[in-house]
Amino acid sequence: MFFFGCGRRVSKNDLLEILNVFSESKIQRFFFWMSPNPQEEEMTGWLGDNGLKPFKGTTYPTLIRPVENVDPFPAGLAVRRVSGREVESRKDAILRIFEPWPCSFFFQCVDRDGFDHFLAYDGDTPVSAAILAHDGEFAYLGWAGTAEAHRGKGSQNALIRARLNRAAELGCRVACSETLAMLKTSLGNLERNGFEKAYYKKVYVWQS
């Protein structure tokens, strides 16, 4: 996965370099997500010139809310921030939480600066997982999953609130999260916990 930041203007060559990585790797289909930015019109033209088309599927809302302490969600689960040692010891359960999607990043960034990992336990079994990424006054809630048999029991609401409280402890002022509009439960959980839609990403797809 590649990201453009805000440190400098993006050139057409920057974009072509990214697209060439996928082309040379024989990737048959990939997506380009674009948030609102001063080069939006220019970059849209470059994408079209290189065969990418607007994606006609679900939309991708980005949501924000102020960071403040909130009451824990009464889900009857034990929610806690966990270390790399605990993540490794619960690896099989965490893999089941994210099935059928890959979750290598969850393991790769544990115990790294700027990342806090959370697990929600039903008894001794982790049933839900999520990450809080943070940098200065900004917090990002992402990489969340719940084991299929335990969905609908409040674990994601509990993890959202636990991460907001951790963000407040760290001195963050703004929290951001993302989801897919078609994931009604995920979107509803975020909005129920005070997140509001800020914008929708423009998504382009390339297919061989």
Side-chain angles (χ1 to χ4, degrees), residues 111-150:
D111 286 342
R112 283 173 48 184
D113 290 344
F115 293 92
D116 286 315
H117 289 53
F118 290 79
L119 293 176
Y121 282 82
D122 183 0
D124 293 329
T125 304
V127 298
S128 195
I131 296 176
L132 172 72
H134 47 87
D135 183 9
E137 296 183 342
F138 179 79
Y140 180 83
L141 282 67
W143 302 281
T146 301
E148 186 172 1
H150 295 271

Side-chain angles (χ1 to χ4, degrees), residues 55-70:
F55 180 58
K56 301 299 185 182
T58 186
T59 54
Y60 295 76
T62 296
L63 303 95
I64 62 171
R65 62 153 289 164
V67 171
E68 58 189 358
N69 285 308
V70 293

